[in-house]
Amino acid sequence: MGNAQPTNDLAATLNDGEVAVGLLDNTYSPSLVEFYGELGLDFVWLDFEHGGPDPWDAGTVEDLLRAAERTGIEALVRLPDTDPTLVRKALDLGVRNVFLPRVETAAEVREAVRSARFRYDDGAGDRGLAAPRARRWGLADDYVETEDRETLVGVTIENRESVENLDEILAVPELGFVFIGPLDLSVSLGHPGEVDHPDVQDAVETVRSSAVDADVPVGGLGFGMDDVNEKASNGYQILNLGSTTGALQQTVSGWLDDYEGEQSGSE
């Protein structure tokens, strides 16, 4: 007996024109991934570019995915490279939302998106057809049609080249979303760490407005809840609220600031 594949809730949210909010788990803990689902977040960002396990480590990645699946939270997985072989591997493990870093050209993006499709742009896709975990080891019904419909491939716009080639990138068929990376943009534009520099802000606004005009969902980082709410009202559909370590730092620092116990060295 076959089994129906689940709906990708993140893709559905974007398709409905709504906003998805999530958090970066930079501890790469299945327990925390599961817990964030219990808390009601839409997605958990697993960033394999800047940290975490090797994305080729299938068992570790599968454990993170199982945790997300148990509580119905979507895993947004950023890979360390746009290599189509790596994209296909992640999808076969069960990743549905792939997030590609440091893209520069439309050709590179098109190749990566095509590697995630069985059929692509009225032609052949470049995804391997096998019976991996994504197919429930051969038990899933309508695997080809479901995967092509439910798999979301997005890119980070975070360097000068990607901004210069933005219109062509946005025109790539079936591009799922663009995510603005202001920190790496600040480096690429010669102002490392200065996310408020006019050059960086101009680039960010260019990406945001162009994506909205092209009807491609746009995502970004939230720098406090006022910023999150402003971005949600200004066209952003994927918003990262913070990180595990950031939340812990804020909470624990607050506890220590409010601590009124005996201080070290007092009499």
Side-chain angles (χ1 to χ4, degrees):
M1 179 181 295
N3 295 280
Q5 293 285 79
T7 297
N8 182 339
D9 290 332
L10 179 57
T13 296
L14 300 183
N15 189 59
D16 290 342
E18 298 177 355
V19 178
V21 295
L23 186 146
L24 169 68
D25 179 39
N26 49 1
T27 69
Y28 306 93
S29 162
S31 294
L32 285 174
V33 169
E34 186 176 27
F35 182 56
Y36 289 137
E38 297 283 11
L39 290 175
L41 290 171
D42 298 308
F43 68 87
V44 59
W45 178 5
L46 301 171
D47 188 358
F48 296 156
E49 180 191 10
H50 293 298
D54 187 329
W56 292 103
D57 182 354
T60 301
V61 175
E62 286 174 350
D63 285 344
L64 291 164
L65 295 175
R66 289 186 187 103
E69 290 158 5
R70 201 206 71 79
T71 53
I73 190 171
E74 292 293 341
L76 179 58
V77 177
R78 181 155 70 175
L79 299 174
D81 195 89
T82 62
D83 181 355
T85 303
L86 184 56
V87 172
R88 287 188 289 262
K89 176 70 170 181
L91 296 181
D92 281 353
L93 292 177
V95 175
R96 304 293 281 281
N97 305 293
V98 177
F99 186 9
L100 305 176
R102 307 187 68 81
V103 302
E104 295 184 357
T105 67
E108 176 187 18
V109 174
R110 181 184 175 90
E111 184 180 13
V113 177
R114 182 169 176 260
S115 73
R117 295 287 188 269
F118 295 107
R119 300 185 181 93
Y120 183 62
D121 194 23
D122 296 326
D126 195 29
R127 182 168 176 183
L129 183 56
R133 181 175 184 270
R135 197 176 184 178
R136 299 188 183 180
W137 300 277
L139 298 177
D141 290 330
D142 300 321
Y143 175 62
V144 168
E145 291 76 10
T146 302
E147 286 294 294
D148 277 355
R149 183 180 66 248
E150 301 291 341
T151 299
L152 194 68
V153 180
V155 299
T156 320
I157 303 298
E158 56 186 341
N159 52 50
R160 183 189 299 272
E161 293 78 10
S162 61
V163 176
E164 291 173 350
N165 296 320
L166 183 60
D167 289 342
E168 292 84 1
I169 290 172
L170 291 171
V172 170
E174 300 180 43
L175 176 63
F177 62 89
V178 295
F179 195 99
I180 303 172
L183 297 173
D184 280 354
L185 264 175
S186 73
V187 175
S188 183
L189 295 173
H191 311 288
E194 300 178 47
V195 295
D196 291 328
H197 191 281
D199 292 349
V200 179
Q201 288 298 302
D202 285 348
V204 167
E205 175 54 24
T206 294
V207 179
R208 186 207 66 81
S209 60
S210 297
V212 170
D213 289 345
D215 199 27
V216 174
V218 60
L221 305 173
F223 298 99
M225 290 312 300
D226 287 343
D227 182 57
V228 167
N229 289 326
E230 180 179 352
K231 284 175 175 170
S233 65
N234 204 25
Y236 284 76
Q237 288 187 258
I238 302 174
L239 283 165
N240 186 66
L241 306 180
S243 67
T244 295
T245 54
L248 286 172
Q249 177 187 0
Q250 182 176 357
T251 299
V252 174
S253 295
W255 289 344
L256 293 175
D257 289 343
D258 293 339
Y259 177 56
E260 297 179 353
E262 183 177 356
Q263 302 300 308
S264 174
S266 63
E267 298 181 1

